[in-house]
Amino acid sequence: MCLAIPARVVELLPNLRAIVDLGGVRKEVSIDLVADAQLDDYVIVHVGYALGKIDPEEAQRTLALFAELAQTEAQA
């Protein structure tokens, strides 16, 4: 199973690269598949590649579910 997570574009770099924020962690990713990505867009990231854009509200709901899952696992 593969997992792609929402991340916010915080910096656009040359050669279709970008810095994204993954819950406070910043990572450089390829935006070859989402060449129209702009600052503050949310993209779905899997193994260093932005696969597509996602609606900001949907991104926030998904990130909230991940946080809830992490909290539940920490309590177990």
Side-chain angles (χ1 to χ4, degrees):
M1 176 167 79
C2 297
L3 178 66
I5 57 175
R8 185 173 58 88
V9 176
V10 295
E11 184 178 348
L12 295 171
L13 303 173
N15 300 319
L16 293 173
R17 307 288 294 171
I19 303 294
V20 296
D21 184 289
L22 301 158
V25 175
R26 293 190 175 206
K27 178 172 177 52
E28 184 176 330
V29 300
S30 169
I31 55 170
D32 283 327
L33 301 174
V34 193
D36 63 336
Q38 299 296 315
L39 288 178
D40 293 323
D41 281 350
Y42 279 88
V43 292
I44 295 292
V45 176
H46 176 66
V47 294
Y49 290 88
L51 302 178
K53 288 198 265 184
I54 186 172
D55 178 73
E57 291 80 24
E58 183 65 26
Q60 291 303 322
R61 284 192 296 269
T62 301
L63 293 169
L65 285 171
F66 283 139
E68 185 179 330
L69 178 61
Q71 183 179 9
T72 300
E73 287 185 3
Q75 293 173 353

